[in-house]
Each structure stands twice: as C-alpha cells, then as structure tokens.
Amino acid sequence: DVAELMSGMTMDIILRTLFGQPDRGESVDAARATQVLSRSAMQEMFWPVTLPDWLPLPGKRAKRWALRTLRGLVTRRITQRRDAPADDAPHDDLLAMLLAVRDDETGRGLSAAELHDQCMVMFQAGHETSATALLWWAWLMARHPQAQRRARDEVQTLLGARAPQAADVAGLDGLSATLKEAMRLYPPIGALMSRRVVEPIRLGDWTLPAGAMLRITPALIHRDPRWFVQPDDFRPERFVEGAEAPPRGAWMPFGTGPRVCIGQHFAQLEMTLVAALLLQRYELRTVPGDAEPEPAFNVTLRPRRPLRLRLLRLPAP
C-alpha cells in the first residue's frame, strides 16, 4: 500500500525535523489522525452548516480522536523539551528554533498557544502533501518503466552506493523533473486554493462581483492544452533544464504569488532525497490485474481505493 508507505515515511521525517526524534507508535497514530482530519475537513467544507464536534456521531467521534491524538502529541513533545534539565544536550530541530525565537521589540518568546499552533501547522502541512506527491510519483514511475530507468541511471551515476545529501539535489535534474511532472498530473492540493474578489473584475466573458469567492483548481489548470502539449501524458522532459518553462500560474502545486507555500523548498528537497533513496534500492512495478487509481478529493488528492505497487530489491551498486 503506497499511501501507507509514504505517509509513514514522511511522518517519520517531520517528527525528526520538528522534534528531533521519531517514535514509531506516534508516527502510526499521527498519520492515521491526519487522514481522518483530511476527510473531515473536505466533508465540512461543502456543507452550508457545520455540526458541532461534540455530537455523538461516528464522523465526529473519529474527528475528536484525531484532534486529541495530534494535540496530545504536540503538547507532550513541547512539555518534555521545556522540562528537560538545563544541562541537557542542545537540540538542532524546529522546536528548538521556535523556543529560541524572540520578538525584536519586546524580547518575548512565543506564548504557549502560539508555540503549540506553530507546531501543529508545520506538523500537518509538512507531512500529508509530501506523502501524496510521492505516492503519485511512485505509481507513475511504475507505470512508465523507461522514465524510471532514466531517473535511476542518473541517481546511480551521481551517487553510486552512497546515500544522497542535500547538496546532491542540484545534480538530479532528471529525477526532479519526474517529481514536478507527477505534481502537474496529480497536484497534492488539487482544488482548495480560494480567493475572495475585493472589487468587480472581468475575466473573459465573465464579470465577477465584489465578494465573489474564486476556487482555483490546479488539477484542471495543470492539464490545460494551451500550456502543455499532450497534457494527460507523463512527460518529465517538460521540466528538465533547457525546456521552455510554462507560463506563470500554469504549474502551481505550491500555489503562486505572495502566499506561495512557505514549505515548498523543504518539500522539494525531502521528496527528491526520498525518491533517490527508493530508486537506489528498488524497482517499482505495478501489480498485474490492479485497476488504474482513481483520484478523489479530500484536502489532498488521494486515490479512492488503496494503491498497491511491487517493490523489487535491486542488487547493491
């Protein structure tokens, strides 16, 4: 199950990045809780009225469990860090940075609520989207063995048997192109960017009044034949160095403009390193007889049914 594999992997990464040390039990529960909240948020978004969370309904019960799980994890980690002995070894993680930050004018640090909220945002946003992008990339690699072979050759030529480092990403142009093309076909956030019109605006034949809500849908924009030749085909060469770049706004898995995703560089680094590690060690294959995955909108664009792949271990380089 590729979704389970990638969710567990990116959850481990965000726990290491945010708190320094993962816990296997925490990773499993947190990944499951994030999925519950993703489904719940999507359902509530399109109802004119949202029912109170305290109602004894099955969906609300699952949502309460998910919120308790994530809030408890974050609170527990912050408390452990603050209660640590003064002579404890210094930590090199995002929590340590958040605890150290000070307001330039007042010298005060983050309040308990601010610290908790910052950790929750980083924790949720830094896991689910990367896992979604990687699961679609893995399926496309399995579906297109020649593209997989080219990406693996690039990885093995650059790295041999050693593990990739952050500095290696610049030399993995072809691999990065496969990830960008996967996010074009299956953007992790497929339809949730919205903006409110503050004054009347004309778009083609449409006049939009002030106050109208626009929902921008990358899953459709990315497949517009005006911007991409054969838009439904997997063609990583669109994104290699020297290829003609699409117009601004035609490819925006991280959004665009002043509110572009603040974590896009972390995500691209994380995904490229994970992809390189996988291609070093495994050949990805589809499972004979399995139907092609059907995308479904939650907060992220996930397969409607479990997506399975075969991972065949490769001989050591």
Short mmCIF file of all heavy atoms in Angstrom, two decimals, residues 274-316:
data_model
loop_
_atom_site.label_atom_id
_atom_site.label_comp_id
_atom_site.label_asym_id
_atom_site.label_seq_id
_atom_site.Cartn_x
_atom_site.Cartn_y
_atom_site.Cartn_z
N VAL A 274 14.06 11.32 -0.89
CA VAL A 274 13.32 10.07 -0.71
C VAL A 274 13.25 9.30 -2.03
O VAL A 274 13.47 8.08 -2.08
CB VAL A 274 11.90 10.35 -0.17
CG1 VAL A 274 11.02 9.10 -0.27
CG2 VAL A 274 11.96 10.82 1.27
N ALA A 275 12.96 10.01 -3.13
CA ALA A 275 12.88 9.36 -4.44
C ALA A 275 14.22 8.75 -4.83
O ALA A 275 14.28 7.63 -5.36
CB ALA A 275 12.42 10.38 -5.48
N ALA A 276 15.31 9.47 -4.57
CA ALA A 276 16.65 8.94 -4.90
C ALA A 276 16.96 7.69 -4.09
O ALA A 276 17.48 6.70 -4.61
CB ALA A 276 17.70 10.02 -4.66
N LEU A 277 16.63 7.71 -2.82
CA LEU A 277 16.87 6.54 -1.96
C LEU A 277 16.08 5.33 -2.44
O LEU A 277 16.59 4.20 -2.45
CB LEU A 277 16.50 6.88 -0.51
CG LEU A 277 17.49 7.76 0.25
CD1 LEU A 277 16.82 8.37 1.48
CD2 LEU A 277 18.72 6.97 0.66
N LEU A 278 14.83 5.55 -2.83
CA LEU A 278 14.00 4.45 -3.32
C LEU A 278 14.56 3.86 -4.62
O LEU A 278 14.66 2.64 -4.78
CB LEU A 278 12.57 4.93 -3.53
CG LEU A 278 11.66 4.91 -2.31
CD1 LEU A 278 10.35 5.64 -2.62
CD2 LEU A 278 11.37 3.49 -1.86
N LEU A 279 14.93 4.74 -5.56
CA LEU A 279 15.42 4.25 -6.84
C LEU A 279 16.78 3.55 -6.72
O LEU A 279 17.10 2.68 -7.52
CB LEU A 279 15.52 5.41 -7.84
CG LEU A 279 14.19 6.00 -8.32
CD1 LEU A 279 14.43 7.13 -9.31
CD2 LEU A 279 13.29 4.93 -8.93
N GLN A 280 17.57 3.95 -5.73
CA GLN A 280 18.83 3.24 -5.48
C GLN A 280 18.60 1.79 -5.09
O GLN A 280 19.40 0.92 -5.42
CB GLN A 280 19.59 3.92 -4.33
CG GLN A 280 20.48 5.07 -4.73
CD GLN A 280 21.28 5.54 -3.53
OE1 GLN A 280 20.76 5.66 -2.41
NE2 GLN A 280 22.56 5.80 -3.74
N ARG A 281 17.50 1.55 -4.38
CA ARG A 281 17.32 0.26 -3.72
C ARG A 281 16.26 -0.64 -4.36
O ARG A 281 16.31 -1.85 -4.21
CB ARG A 281 16.95 0.50 -2.25
CG ARG A 281 18.10 1.06 -1.44
CD ARG A 281 17.60 1.78 -0.19
NE ARG A 281 18.71 2.16 0.66
CZ ARG A 281 19.53 3.18 0.41
NH1 ARG A 281 19.36 3.92 -0.66
NH2 ARG A 281 20.53 3.46 1.24
N TYR A 282 15.29 -0.03 -5.06
CA TYR A 282 14.15 -0.81 -5.53
C TYR A 282 13.78 -0.48 -6.97
O TYR A 282 13.98 0.64 -7.44
CB TYR A 282 12.91 -0.55 -4.66
CG TYR A 282 13.06 -0.96 -3.23
CD1 TYR A 282 13.38 -0.02 -2.25
CD2 TYR A 282 12.91 -2.29 -2.84
CE1 TYR A 282 13.54 -0.39 -0.93
CE2 TYR A 282 13.06 -2.67 -1.52
CZ TYR A 282 13.38 -1.72 -0.57
OH TYR A 282 13.54 -2.09 0.73
N GLU A 283 13.20 -1.47 -7.63
CA GLU A 283 12.49 -1.24 -8.87
C GLU A 283 11.00 -1.23 -8.54
O GLU A 283 10.49 -2.12 -7.85
CB GLU A 283 12.79 -2.34 -9.89
CG GLU A 283 12.05 -2.15 -11.21
CD GLU A 283 12.33 -3.28 -12.19
OE1 GLU A 283 13.28 -4.05 -11.98
OE2 GLU A 283 11.56 -3.40 -13.17
N LEU A 284 10.30 -0.20 -9.02
CA LEU A 284 8.87 -0.05 -8.74
C LEU A 284 8.08 -0.64 -9.90
O LEU A 284 8.32 -0.30 -11.06
CB LEU A 284 8.52 1.44 -8.58
CG LEU A 284 9.32 2.21 -7.53
CD1 LEU A 284 9.04 3.69 -7.62
CD2 LEU A 284 9.01 1.69 -6.13
N ARG A 285 7.14 -1.52 -9.59
CA ARG A 285 6.30 -2.15 -10.62
C ARG A 285 4.84 -2.11 -10.20
O ARG A 285 4.52 -2.19 -9.02
CB ARG A 285 6.71 -3.61 -10.84
CG ARG A 285 8.08 -3.80 -11.47
CD ARG A 285 8.30 -5.26 -11.80
NE ARG A 285 9.66 -5.53 -12.30
CZ ARG A 285 10.10 -6.75 -12.59
NH1 ARG A 285 9.30 -7.81 -12.44
NH2 ARG A 285 11.34 -6.92 -13.03
N THR A 286 3.97 -2.01 -11.21
CA THR A 286 2.55 -2.11 -10.93
C THR A 286 2.20 -3.57 -10.59
O THR A 286 2.97 -4.49 -10.89
CB THR A 286 1.73 -1.66 -12.15
OG1 THR A 286 2.13 -2.44 -13.28
CG2 THR A 286 1.95 -0.18 -12.44
N VAL A 287 1.05 -3.75 -9.98
CA VAL A 287 0.58 -5.09 -9.63
C VAL A 287 -0.34 -5.58 -10.75
O VAL A 287 -1.35 -4.94 -11.04
CB VAL A 287 -0.18 -5.09 -8.29
CG1 VAL A 287 -0.71 -6.48 -7.96
CG2 VAL A 287 0.72 -4.58 -7.17
N PRO A 288 0.00 -6.70 -11.42
CA PRO A 288 -0.84 -7.19 -12.52
C PRO A 288 -2.29 -7.37 -12.07
O PRO A 288 -2.57 -7.93 -11.00
CB PRO A 288 -0.20 -8.53 -12.88
CG PRO A 288 1.23 -8.39 -12.44
CD PRO A 288 1.19 -7.55 -11.20
N GLY A 289 -3.21 -6.86 -12.90
CA GLY A 289 -4.63 -7.01 -12.59
C GLY A 289 -5.23 -5.86 -11.82
O GLY A 289 -6.46 -5.71 -11.76
N ASP A 290 -4.39 -5.02 -11.17
CA ASP A 290 -4.92 -3.88 -10.43
C ASP A 290 -5.37 -2.79 -11.40
O ASP A 290 -4.69 -2.49 -12.39
CB ASP A 290 -3.85 -3.30 -9.49
CG ASP A 290 -3.79 -4.07 -8.18
OD1 ASP A 290 -4.44 -5.13 -8.08
OD2 ASP A 290 -3.09 -3.61 -7.25
N ALA A 291 -6.52 -2.19 -11.13
CA ALA A 291 -7.03 -1.10 -11.96
C ALA A 291 -6.21 0.16 -11.74
O ALA A 291 -5.58 0.34 -10.68
CB ALA A 291 -8.49 -0.85 -11.64
N GLU A 292 -6.23 1.06 -12.72
CA GLU A 292 -5.55 2.34 -12.55
C GLU A 292 -6.24 3.11 -11.42
O GLU A 292 -7.46 3.08 -11.28
CB GLU A 292 -5.59 3.15 -13.84
CG GLU A 292 -4.70 2.58 -14.94
CD GLU A 292 -4.30 3.63 -15.95
OE1 GLU A 292 -4.68 4.80 -15.78
OE2 GLU A 292 -3.60 3.26 -16.91
N PRO A 293 -5.46 3.81 -10.62
CA PRO A 293 -6.06 4.52 -9.47
C PRO A 293 -6.96 5.66 -9.92
O PRO A 293 -6.69 6.34 -10.92
CB PRO A 293 -4.84 5.05 -8.71
CG PRO A 293 -3.74 5.11 -9.73
CD PRO A 293 -4.01 3.98 -10.67
N GLU A 294 -8.03 5.85 -9.19
CA GLU A 294 -8.97 6.94 -9.46
C GLU A 294 -8.78 8.01 -8.40
O GLU A 294 -8.95 7.75 -7.21
CB GLU A 294 -10.41 6.40 -9.40
CG GLU A 294 -11.46 7.46 -9.63
CD GLU A 294 -12.87 6.94 -9.38
OE1 GLU A 294 -13.01 5.73 -9.11
OE2 GLU A 294 -13.81 7.75 -9.45
N PRO A 295 -8.40 9.23 -8.81
CA PRO A 295 -8.18 10.29 -7.82
C PRO A 295 -9.48 10.70 -7.14
O PRO A 295 -10.54 10.69 -7.75
CB PRO A 295 -7.60 11.45 -8.64
CG PRO A 295 -7.20 10.85 -9.95
CD PRO A 295 -8.10 9.67 -10.17
N ALA A 296 -9.37 11.06 -5.88
CA ALA A 296 -10.53 11.54 -5.11
C ALA A 296 -10.09 12.74 -4.28
O ALA A 296 -9.01 12.72 -3.67
CB ALA A 296 -11.08 10.45 -4.21
N PHE A 297 -10.91 13.79 -4.26
CA PHE A 297 -10.59 14.97 -3.49
C PHE A 297 -10.91 14.76 -2.02
O PHE A 297 -12.05 14.49 -1.66
CB PHE A 297 -11.38 16.18 -3.98
CG PHE A 297 -10.84 16.79 -5.23
CD1 PHE A 297 -11.63 16.91 -6.36
CD2 PHE A 297 -9.54 17.26 -5.28
CE1 PHE A 297 -11.14 17.47 -7.52
CE2 PHE A 297 -9.03 17.83 -6.44
CZ PHE A 297 -9.83 17.94 -7.56
N ASN A 298 -9.90 14.85 -1.17
CA ASN A 298 -10.10 15.19 0.23
C ASN A 298 -9.43 16.56 0.36
O ASN A 298 -9.60 17.39 -0.50
CB ASN A 298 -9.52 14.12 1.15
CG ASN A 298 -10.43 12.89 1.20
OD1 ASN A 298 -11.64 13.03 1.34
ND2 ASN A 298 -9.86 11.72 1.04
N VAL A 299 -8.71 16.83 1.41
CA VAL A 299 -7.91 18.05 1.36
C VAL A 299 -6.78 17.85 0.37
O VAL A 299 -6.41 18.75 -0.38
CB VAL A 299 -7.38 18.41 2.76
CG1 VAL A 299 -6.36 19.53 2.69
CG2 VAL A 299 -8.54 18.84 3.66
N THR A 300 -6.23 16.65 0.32
CA THR A 300 -5.24 16.30 -0.68
C THR A 300 -5.86 15.35 -1.71
O THR A 300 -6.88 14.71 -1.45
CB THR A 300 -4.02 15.63 -0.04
OG1 THR A 300 -4.44 14.56 0.80
CG2 THR A 300 -3.22 16.64 0.77
N LEU A 301 -5.22 15.26 -2.87
CA LEU A 301 -5.73 14.44 -3.97
C LEU A 301 -5.21 13.02 -3.80
O LEU A 301 -4.08 12.71 -4.19
CB LEU A 301 -5.26 15.03 -5.30
CG LEU A 301 -5.87 14.44 -6.57
CD1 LEU A 301 -7.35 14.78 -6.66
CD2 LEU A 301 -5.13 14.97 -7.80
N ARG A 302 -6.01 12.16 -3.23
CA ARG A 302 -5.60 10.79 -2.91
C ARG A 302 -6.34 9.78 -3.77
O ARG A 302 -7.44 10.05 -4.25
CB ARG A 302 -5.90 10.50 -1.43
CG ARG A 302 -4.96 11.21 -0.46
CD ARG A 302 -3.91 10.24 -0.03
NE ARG A 302 -2.84 10.87 0.72
CZ ARG A 302 -2.04 10.19 1.53
NH1 ARG A 302 -2.21 8.89 1.67
NH2 ARG A 302 -1.06 10.78 2.15
N PRO A 303 -5.79 8.57 -3.96
CA PRO A 303 -6.53 7.52 -4.68
C PRO A 303 -7.78 7.12 -3.90
O PRO A 303 -7.76 7.04 -2.67
CB PRO A 303 -5.53 6.37 -4.75
CG PRO A 303 -4.19 6.98 -4.48
CD PRO A 303 -4.43 8.14 -3.58
N ARG A 304 -8.86 6.86 -4.64
CA ARG A 304 -10.12 6.49 -3.98
C ARG A 304 -9.99 5.14 -3.28
O ARG A 304 -10.59 4.92 -2.22
CB ARG A 304 -11.25 6.44 -5.01
CG ARG A 304 -12.64 6.35 -4.40
CD ARG A 304 -13.72 6.47 -5.47
NE ARG A 304 -13.66 7.73 -6.20
CZ ARG A 304 -14.16 8.88 -5.74
NH1 ARG A 304 -14.76 8.92 -4.56
NH2 ARG A 304 -14.08 9.98 -6.46
N ARG A 305 -9.24 4.23 -3.87
CA ARG A 305 -9.01 2.91 -3.27
C ARG A 305 -7.52 2.73 -3.01
O ARG A 305 -6.70 3.43 -3.61
CB ARG A 305 -9.52 1.81 -4.21
CG ARG A 305 -11.03 1.77 -4.35
CD ARG A 305 -11.47 0.75 -5.39
NE ARG A 305 -11.04 1.13 -6.72
CZ ARG A 305 -11.69 2.00 -7.48
NH1 ARG A 305 -12.79 2.58 -7.05
NH2 ARG A 305 -11.24 2.30 -8.70
N PRO A 306 -7.12 1.80 -2.15
CA PRO A 306 -5.70 1.60 -1.87
C PRO A 306 -4.89 1.37 -3.16
O PRO A 306 -5.31 0.61 -4.03
CB PRO A 306 -5.68 0.35 -0.97
CG PRO A 306 -7.02 0.37 -0.30
CD PRO A 306 -7.98 0.92 -1.30
N LEU A 307 -3.77 2.04 -3.24
CA LEU A 307 -2.88 1.93 -4.40
C LEU A 307 -1.70 1.04 -4.01
O LEU A 307 -0.94 1.37 -3.10
CB LEU A 307 -2.40 3.32 -4.81
CG LEU A 307 -1.30 3.41 -5.87
CD1 LEU A 307 -1.71 2.69 -7.14
CD2 LEU A 307 -0.95 4.86 -6.16
N ARG A 308 -1.57 -0.08 -4.71
CA ARG A 308 -0.52 -1.04 -4.38
C ARG A 308 0.53 -1.07 -5.48
O ARG A 308 0.21 -0.97 -6.66
CB ARG A 308 -1.10 -2.44 -4.20
CG ARG A 308 -2.21 -2.55 -3.17
CD ARG A 308 -2.66 -3.98 -3.01
NE ARG A 308 -3.04 -4.57 -4.29
CZ ARG A 308 -3.02 -5.88 -4.55
NH1 ARG A 308 -2.64 -6.72 -3.61
NH2 ARG A 308 -3.39 -6.35 -5.72
N LEU A 309 1.79 -1.23 -5.08
CA LEU A 309 2.89 -1.43 -6.02
C LEU A 309 3.77 -2.56 -5.50
O LEU A 309 3.78 -2.87 -4.31
CB LEU A 309 3.73 -0.16 -6.16
CG LEU A 309 3.09 1.06 -6.84
CD1 LEU A 309 4.07 2.21 -6.84
CD2 LEU A 309 2.62 0.75 -8.25
N ARG A 310 4.53 -3.15 -6.42
CA ARG A 310 5.57 -4.11 -6.04
C ARG A 310 6.89 -3.38 -5.96
O ARG A 310 7.26 -2.62 -6.85
CB ARG A 310 5.66 -5.23 -7.07
CG ARG A 310 4.45 -6.16 -7.10
CD ARG A 310 4.73 -7.34 -8.04
NE ARG A 310 3.58 -8.22 -8.12
CZ ARG A 310 3.29 -9.18 -7.24
NH1 ARG A 310 4.08 -9.35 -6.19
NH2 ARG A 310 2.23 -9.94 -7.39
N LEU A 311 7.64 -3.63 -4.90
CA LEU A 311 8.99 -3.11 -4.75
C LEU A 311 9.96 -4.28 -4.82
O LEU A 311 9.96 -5.14 -3.93
CB LEU A 311 9.16 -2.38 -3.41
CG LEU A 311 8.78 -0.89 -3.39
CD1 LEU A 311 7.29 -0.70 -3.63
CD2 LEU A 311 9.19 -0.25 -2.07
N LEU A 312 10.75 -4.33 -5.89
CA LEU A 312 11.72 -5.41 -6.08
C LEU A 312 13.10 -4.89 -5.69
O LEU A 312 13.59 -3.93 -6.30
CB LEU A 312 11.73 -5.89 -7.53
CG LEU A 312 10.61 -6.84 -7.95
CD1 LEU A 312 9.28 -6.10 -8.01
CD2 LEU A 312 10.91 -7.48 -9.29
N ARG A 313 13.71 -5.54 -4.71
CA ARG A 313 15.01 -5.07 -4.24
C ARG A 313 16.06 -5.27 -5.32
O ARG A 313 16.15 -6.34 -5.91
CB ARG A 313 15.42 -5.79 -2.96
CG ARG A 313 16.75 -5.28 -2.39
CD ARG A 313 17.08 -5.92 -1.05
NE ARG A 313 16.20 -5.42 0.01
CZ ARG A 313 16.38 -4.26 0.64
NH1 ARG A 313 17.38 -3.47 0.30
NH2 ARG A 313 15.57 -3.89 1.60
N LEU A 314 16.87 -4.22 -5.57
CA LEU A 314 17.92 -4.29 -6.56
C LEU A 314 19.23 -4.75 -5.92
O LEU A 314 19.45 -4.54 -4.72
CB LEU A 314 18.13 -2.89 -7.17
CG LEU A 314 16.94 -2.30 -7.94
CD1 LEU A 314 17.22 -0.84 -8.25
CD2 LEU A 314 16.70 -3.09 -9.22
N PRO A 315 20.14 -5.35 -6.71
CA PRO A 315 21.46 -5.67 -6.17
C PRO A 315 22.21 -4.39 -5.82
O PRO A 315 21.99 -3.34 -6.44
CB PRO A 315 22.13 -6.41 -7.32
CG PRO A 315 21.38 -6.01 -8.54
CD PRO A 315 19.98 -5.77 -8.11
N ALA A 316 23.06 -4.46 -4.83
CA ALA A 316 23.81 -3.28 -4.41
C ALA A 316 24.69 -2.78 -5.55
O ALA A 316 25.27 -3.57 -6.29
CB ALA A 316 24.68 -3.62 -3.20
#
